[in-house]
Amino acid sequence: MTFTLPPEAVHWRDKARDFVDRELKPYEVEAEMNDGRIPEAARKAHEKACIAMGVTVMDVPKERGGLALPILTQTAIVEQFGRVTNALGWCYGEAQGWMFEAFNEDQIARIVMPVTRGEIHLCYAITEENAGSDPGNIATTARRQGDTYTITGEKWHVTSHNLASHMVVQAKLADGPHAGEHCLFVCPADAKGVTIARSPAYAHNYNHHHPILRFDDVAVPARDRIGAEGDGMGFTHSWFRRERLLIAARCCGAMARLIEDATDFAKNRIVSGSAIADHQMIQAMLADSVLDLHAARLLTYEAAAAHDRGENLKSLHARCSIAKLFASEAAFRVADRAVQIFGGRGYMRENVAERFLREVRVDRIWEGTSEIQRLIIARSLIKRGLEGTIGPN
Ligand SMILES: Cc1cc2nc3c(=O)[nH]c(=O)nc-3n(C[C@H](O)[C@H](O)[C@H](O)COP(=O)(O)OP(=O)(O)OC[C@H]3O[C@@H](n4cnc5c(N)ncnc54)[C@H](O)[C@@H]3O)c2cc1C
């Protein structure tokens, strides 16, 4: 099977590639050596350029002033951002399609659209110490008293909380007709009662921290509940589909970068009088990496195109899992081979392969671990059969 991107997707891909190569890549080593930080003026310029380019509204409906780009085009764009460290690639916030179904008009005006202008930065507080792969088991509660909910609990790994103005929080309703069901809320990142219990260091060096947050009787007005009581889990499913697809896309970008850089190095590195690219053991590592990228890209583009064709939602869910599972595992294999090809240089923090080896590892964990993706795929197969899982042949 071959897959040709339509001209519009090629145009956007090239535009994103140019921005990433010209504006982001030059800061990679500086970011790596400074815990992900670059000069504030440069960070702001990157965000501004992304807003001007339109990537913050690529998933926003046209009637809201967005671009509503096909998912395949969005995937091709995000793939290019995957060519650099997330410390730089995460330089913009975007309003996602599901938000326009979940948030009401008032919230779209106050929260969602300002995200596209860089005025509001969101983070997501779902995971807990005892609820990760099984978000249904969260213990954080929301208790309603009149027009206010009181949120109590603890959230883990809240990515970008240090840079966020607002957070989306998932809690279980403590009482009322929907007691025990889930609900999403949006509240200021520094709302009264929110404290940082701890901000641990992680394997990557991003200026996006992932703290553990305590919520002690945090008051959230009912107008900041997202959707109806009990809607929480439904919304998280639709953002999981998008996030998994885009993780797969970023992994494809990382693989392409690694293969290109490792190939260049192998052609120019002379050992015992010949280029290491002439050795078949090196060629095998490069060939296996091309295979991994090509397969991951086909799976990712095809799952994205299936969204644009409006295929069955349940099948799309499984196909996003297939793309994320394969691409994230493939990216780690490719990064590991690239380190080997670079030899000692591949173990230096200034080297792209060393950085990606640490960075892509988490793609097998967040937004559902590889094991959870396998369960989703297997359950889909058992319930809906092969065609219902990977689509008609
Ligand atoms: C850097 C980073 C950033 C993150 N950012 C955010 C964020 O912004 N917001 C947020 O809410 N969360 C975030 N997370 C949390 C992330 O989504 C969870 O870590 C992930 O879903 C896995 O949950 P867990 O860590 O609790 O692992 P666990 O659920 O405890 O799983 C541990 C192991 O058991 C396996 N396992 C679990 N259940 C099964 C099963 N049924 N069958 C087989 N194996 C199983 C898992 O695959 C894994 O290997 C982040 C995590 C990291 C590391």
Side-chain angles (χ1 to χ4, degrees):
M1 188 176 102
T2 58
F3 202 104
T4 310
L5 285 178
E8 182 200 40
V10 170
H11 166 76
W12 274 98
R13 178 199 64 190
D14 293 348
K15 207 154 82 159
R17 169 73 181 265
D18 181 58
F19 171 73
V20 168
D21 282 353
R22 213 165 18 85
E23 305 293 341
L24 301 185
K25 217 168 142 188
Y27 287 99
E28 264 188 323
V29 175
E30 182 174 348
E32 175 63 28
M33 297 306 163
N34 289 292
D35 294 326
R37 283 189 299 273
I38 59 170
E40 185 56 12
R43 189 203 63 74
K44 278 196 176 141
H46 293 160
E47 185 178 38
K48 204 170 149 199
C50 286
I51 293 169
M53 209 192 313
V55 290
T56 65
V57 290
M58 64 183 165
D59 203 33
V60 173
K62 285 202 170 121
E63 60 275 20
R64 304 275 183 188
L67 296 170
L69 294 179
I71 302 296
L72 180 57
T73 304
Q74 296 188 40
T75 303
I77 293 170
V78 172
E79 179 181 347
Q80 299 311 311
F81 281 84
R83 292 179 65 87
V84 286
T85 167
N86 285 337
L88 298 168
W90 287 351
C91 57
Y92 62 93
E94 48 149 5
Q96 302 168 7
W98 70 268
M99 293 176 174
F100 295 90
E101 289 157 29
F103 288 65
N104 63 31
E105 287 299 324
D106 166 56
Q107 293 164 340
I108 288 172
R110 281 190 299 120
I111 310 285
V112 180
M113 292 315 289
V115 168
T116 68
R117 301 189 292 267
E119 294 158 9
I120 279 186
H121 296 91
L122 288 176
C123 65
Y124 298 86
I126 315 295
T127 304
E128 300 181 358
E129 182 174 15
N130 295 310
S133 300
D134 49 354
N137 278 342
I138 59 169
T140 297
T141 54
R143 186 176 298 279
R144 185 162 187 167
Q145 287 150 331
D147 273 348
T148 304
Y149 290 88
T150 305
I151 299 183
T152 305
E154 189 177 271
K155 294 290 181 182
W156 277 48
H157 312 295
V158 184
T159 297
S160 309
H161 177 262
N162 58 317
L163 305 176
S165 56
H166 289 73
M167 59 184 150
V168 173
V169 188
Q170 187 166 352
K172 241 180 205 172
L173 295 159
D175 44 23
H178 295 277
E181 293 177 31
H182 289 229
C183 209
L184 292 180
F185 301 89
V186 62
C187 72
D190 61 352
K192 189 163 176 281
V194 174
T195 49
I196 298 173
R198 206 156 64 81
S199 191
Y202 286 67
H204 51 226
N205 291 310
Y206 301 169
N207 188 32
H208 296 258
H209 303 166
H210 316 279
I212 299 170
L213 299 182
R214 286 269 338 138
F215 289 71
D216 291 306
D217 295 335
V218 176
V220 178
R223 72 192 283 240
D224 288 338
R225 184 189 68 222
I226 302 170
E229 289 197 343
D231 277 352
M233 291 298 276
F235 297 145
T236 51
H237 280 136
S238 55
W239 100 48
F240 274 149
R241 272 194 299 280
R242 178 177 171 78
E243 286 303 312
R244 286 171 185 163
L245 197 57
L246 297 187
I247 286 173
R250 278 198 196 87
C251 286
C252 289
M255 283 188 268
R257 168 88 186 278
L258 286 163
I259 293 169
E260 285 165 8
D261 285 14
T263 306
D264 277 351
F265 177 79
K267 281 161 58 177
N268 292 301
R269 173 68 175 155
I270 308 296
V271 177
S272 306
S274 57
I276 60 168
D278 292 339
H279 299 306
Q280 290 177 350
M281 278 186 272
I282 298 288
Q283 290 173 6
M285 285 194 273
L286 291 171
D288 287 347
S289 299
V290 170
L291 204 66
D292 272 332
L293 168 60
H294 195 39
R297 214 180 238 164
L298 287 174
L299 287 172
T300 306
Y301 286 0
E302 170 51 28
H307 274 78
D308 293 329
R309 291 193 297 267
E311 289 190 17
N312 177 280
L313 221 55
K314 298 256 158 95
S315 158
L316 291 178
H317 204 69
R319 283 150 90 174
C320 290
S321 290
I322 291 171
K324 196 244 184 200
L325 171 61
F326 188 85
S328 63
E329 302 219 329
F332 189 74
R333 289 192 293 269
V334 170
D336 186 49
R337 289 185 202 114
V339 168
Q340 200 64 19
I341 292 169
F342 278 109
R345 290 168 177 78
Y347 199 62
M348 292 160 72
R349 270 181 53 194
E350 64 195 38
N351 183 285
V352 65
E354 189 278 342
R355 188 162 52 250
F356 269 134
L357 185 72
R358 275 181 292 115
E359 291 194 7
V360 300
R361 184 62 184 84
V362 77
D363 291 319
R364 290 162 59 190
I365 295 172
W366 58 19
E367 302 296 343
T369 63
S370 287
E371 290 70 35
I372 296 303
Q373 307 309 330
R374 286 187 170 89
L375 289 183
I376 293 169
I377 298 161
R379 283 175 187 156
S380 172
L381 176 69
I382 292 160
K383 263 196 213 156
R384 283 176 286 281
L386 190 55
E387 224 176 82
T389 302
I390 58 172
N393 289 315

